[in-house]
Amino acid sequence: MRLPRRAALGLLPLLLLLPPAPKAAKKPTPCQRCRGLVDKFNQGLVDTAKKNFGGGNTAWEEKTLSKYESSEIRLLEILEGLCESSDFECNQMLEAQEEHLEAWWLQLKNEYPDLLEWFCVKTLKVCCSPGTYGPDCLACQGGSQRPCSGNGHCSGDGSRQGDGSCRCHVGYQGPLCTDCMDGYFSSLRNETHSVCTACDESCKTCSGPTNTDCGECEVGWVLDEGACVDVDECAAETPPCSAAQFCKNANGSYTCEECDSSCVGCTGEGPGNCKECIPGYAREHGQCADVDECSLAEKACVRKNENCYNTPGSYVCVCPDGFEETEDACVPPAEAEATEEESLTQLPAHEDL
């Protein structure tokens, strides 16, 4: 049934309020599924390694263990633990490839001890050997032994995917990850290895590890007598921070920090570095401290019976509980009642109509 146009428009705000649909989990590749199965199989080997070995009659148990070690019973125990009952894809793959695993276990594992290589690379052809990539398992850039010169990750390494190009680690660049990025220098370079080491933090480019080896200084640093040194931005003629902040220098930079709440302008952290104090505060022992107006010789609260309470930077005047508040006094309860009765007696009598 098609909704009337007005009804459909009425649903629009509700649809806009709905949370976005969760992103579907990325489906594992055939190679990832195969590797996962092999990893679980290898864990099963570990878990069953000495299952029938208890440490009693050693000669008998070693003979028994040698039989169990390569038995179909052990294989069955490993296979039963490979997949969770709810893992449909794992169980589907196991059902389809159980004969291959059985053949490897009973006939081929001595000749091909690496299950991953035999099962995923050579038999199912869903993975490649380390250092190779793509449908034909070609060698990665830099060779399969040290892809990307050991300084990066080969796209598709170990899978039937990718293009074999290098994604270099931090500090390295170039098609084979043998060149150094800005901020790094070559500390070792030969036919097989290239090592890039970080420059001193003051250098944008460098030829060595210290601030005297800079080719160019980083922002916030300046060349001085052959070395890159920090610029103290806080010492500039025009301060970089606002009047309510103080400047804190850092290597290659600075930060603006808020003054203490008791300050009108400041030169550093805390009430001891105020230029002036805000109203309600006064300098005491070298720092801005709250003035207790309630303890001054001149009374802050001038109404009769009124209580004074000091607050940070100020004070409040409050009548005691039960007292009646008037413009010029806090009247005690008894006096307030007497005043009220006196007022009533002074009211003119009503004349009878």
Side-chain angles (χ1 to χ4, degrees):
M1 182 179 75
R2 187 173 182 179
L3 286 172
R5 179 177 175 80
R6 182 171 294 179
L9 289 173
L11 287 173
L12 183 58
L14 294 175
L15 293 173
L16 292 174
L17 291 173
L18 289 174
K23 291 183 179 180
K26 193 174 181 180
K27 193 175 181 179
T29 64
C31 180
Q32 288 171 334
R33 285 201 298 269
C34 191
R35 285 179 182 274
L37 198 69
V38 169
D39 287 343
K40 290 176 182 176
F41 193 100
N42 288 334
Q43 185 58 49
L45 286 173
V46 173
D47 294 341
T48 59
K50 291 191 175 182
K51 186 173 179 181
N52 290 347
F53 191 78
N57 186 333
T58 305
W60 178 86
E61 286 183 335
E62 285 183 351
K63 182 179 179 182
T64 304
L65 180 61
S66 65
K67 292 180 180 178
Y68 171 76
E69 187 177 15
S70 57
S71 68
E72 288 189 55
I73 293 174
R74 186 184 182 194
L75 172 64
L76 183 61
E77 289 175 353
I78 294 171
L79 295 178
E80 285 177 346
L82 286 186
C83 302
E84 298 288 339
S85 58
S86 59
D87 191 339
F88 173 76
E89 289 187 346
C90 179
N91 283 289
Q92 187 181 44
M93 185 176 189
L94 179 58
E95 185 178 349
Q97 307 303 333
E98 190 170 348
E99 289 185 5
H100 279 126
L101 292 172
E102 186 176 338
W104 176 81
W105 178 260
L106 297 176
Q107 303 167 18
L108 301 170
K109 73 172 182 287
N110 291 332
E111 185 178 353
Y112 301 101
D114 187 338
L115 178 58
L116 177 66
E117 182 75 14
W118 178 84
F119 184 55
C120 300
V121 178
K122 297 185 180 301
T123 304
L124 300 187
K125 301 186 187 304
V126 292
C127 296
C128 290
S129 300
T132 63
Y133 74 96
D136 300 319
C137 293
L138 301 175
C140 289
Q141 294 285 336
S144 61
Q145 296 302 310
R146 294 187 75 249
C148 305
S149 309
N151 300 324
H153 176 73
C154 166
S155 172
D157 190 353
S159 75
R160 298 275 169 162
Q161 300 177 321
D163 60 7
S165 61
C166 292
R167 186 171 70 247
C168 300
H169 297 154
V170 175
Y172 297 87
Q173 62 182 359
L176 300 180
C177 301
T178 53
D179 301 324
C180 299
M181 297 174 62
D182 282 355
Y184 293 80
F185 69 95
S186 179
S187 55
L188 173 66
R189 185 76 178 258
N190 57 34
E191 293 181 359
T192 59
H193 289 73
S194 175
V195 178
C196 295
T197 302
C199 298
D200 184 82
E201 62 176 334
S202 64
C203 304
K204 185 174 182 179
T205 59
C206 70
S207 57
T210 73
N211 67 337
T212 60
D213 298 314
C214 302
E216 184 181 350
C217 296
E218 268 288 3
V219 175
W221 306 78
V222 66
L223 191 64
D224 183 20
E225 297 183 359
C228 287
V229 295
D230 174 50
V231 174
D232 186 357
E233 294 86 354
C234 300
E237 187 174 341
T238 303
C241 302
S242 73
Q245 297 174 318
F246 66 93
C247 183
K248 205 171 185 179
N249 191 51
N251 282 343
S253 186
Y254 67 94
T255 57
C256 292
E257 306 286 343
E258 297 297 321
C259 292
D260 188 83
S261 59
S262 65
C263 299
V264 177
C266 65
T267 57
E269 186 177 2
N273 287 300
C274 298
K275 292 180 180 178
E276 295 180 26
C277 302
I278 62 171
Y281 284 77
R283 197 168 293 279
E284 183 180 325
H285 304 301
Q287 62 181 24
C288 288
D290 174 50
V291 174
D292 184 356
E293 293 86 355
C294 298
S295 64
L296 297 177
E298 184 179 346
K299 291 182 65 174
C301 299
V302 296
R303 292 187 298 180
K304 185 180 178 182
N305 299 322
E306 192 170 34
N307 290 333
C308 181
Y309 295 99
N310 188 54
T311 62
S314 187
Y315 63 96
V316 292
C317 300
V318 180
C319 286
D321 287 345
F323 281 58
E324 184 176 315
E325 186 171 349
T326 67
E327 187 176 339
D328 57 1
C330 295
V331 182
E335 289 184 23
E337 289 174 8
T339 303
E340 187 176 347
E341 288 175 1
E342 184 180 339
S343 299
L344 289 173
T345 58
Q346 292 176 0
L347 288 174
H350 292 286
E351 295 181 0
D352 293 333
L353 295 176

